[in-house]
Amino acid sequence: MRKEIDTQNEKAKADGTSPIDGSPLIALAEDLLPHLRRAEWRDRADAALGDMGEIDLKDLRSVVVAADDAAKDEESLGVAEKLRTGLMERVEAAQTEWVAEIASTLSDGRVVRALRLSSRPPKAGALMPGDLLQRLTETANEA
């Protein structure tokens, strides 16, 4: 906004007209910015709710994290809570699926694939169950 006001004032000066005072426009823009950010978040949140089962976990996490700053009214707080719940459910399901895939891959004798899968948990810092970890370690050592 400031840059555009400066550009228009330079054009006005070159044309011989008087420049404008941009301070009211800047104040208006600064007042609108938080509302625009909340509206943008709400659009993203509504889209994420509508596509909860298909949206990428990374994208869903970004919407949930942004809720801390954007969700201020009661309705938005409710949407944020639904998103958090949905994210937790998706992460738990992905964790279960991850463990099952590693176990299945080990059962098929695909040790390298199982090792690769074990290095990419759906949730950062997620631990593999001890028995599966032991099985993976033993199978990798044998291979």
Side-chain angles (χ1 to χ4, degrees), residues 34 37-39 41-42 45 63-81 83-84:
R37 286 195 175 138
R38 282 194 293 274
W41 173 82
R42 184 58 191 262
V63 175
V64 169
V65 168
D68 293 339
D69 293 330
K72 301 294 183 189
D73 60 276
E74 228 176 283
E75 185 179 353
S76 293
L77 289 170
V79 169
E81 187 56 36
L83 287 170
R84 280 187 195 94

Side-chain angles (χ1 to χ4, degrees), residues 49-72:
L49 275 177
D51 202 16
M52 185 68 77
E54 301 298 319
I55 189 171
D56 186 67
L57 281 176
K58 181 180 169 183
D59 295 335
L60 184 55
R61 281 186 185 109
S62 73
V63 175
V64 169
V65 168
D68 293 339
D69 293 330
K72 301 294 183 189

Side-chain angles (χ1 to χ4, degrees), residues 1 7 9 12 29 33 39 55 64 67-68 74 94 113 116 118 135:
M1 181 69 98
T7 302
N9 281 338
L33 186 59
I55 189 171
V64 169
D68 293 339
E74 228 176 283
R113 172 81 175 137
R116 281 194 190 126
S118 70
R135 185 174 155 208

Side-chain angles (χ1 to χ4, degrees), residues 10-99:
E10 287 174 19
K11 285 181 184 178
K13 190 182 280 186
D15 293 343
T17 60
S18 62
I20 63 165
D21 177 20
S23 57
L25 292 172
I26 298 296
L28 180 63
E30 287 173 346
D31 286 342
L32 285 175
L33 186 59
H35 299 289
L36 291 172
R37 286 195 175 138
R38 282 194 293 274
E40 180 184 20
W41 173 82
R42 184 58 191 262
D43 288 344
R44 291 177 59 212
D46 288 342
L49 275 177
D51 202 16
M52 185 68 77
E54 301 298 319
I55 189 171
D56 186 67
L57 281 176
K58 181 180 169 183
D59 295 335
L60 184 55
R61 281 186 185 109
S62 73
V63 175
V64 169
V65 168
D68 293 339
D69 293 330
K72 301 294 183 189
D73 60 276
E74 228 176 283
E75 185 179 353
S76 293
L77 289 170
V79 169
E81 187 56 36
K82 287 178 187 176
L83 287 170
R84 280 187 195 94
T85 302
L87 176 62
M88 288 178 12
E89 289 171 359
R90 289 274 314 277
V91 168
E92 290 303 319
Q95 179 76 12
T96 303
E97 188 177 305
W98 175 68
V99 168

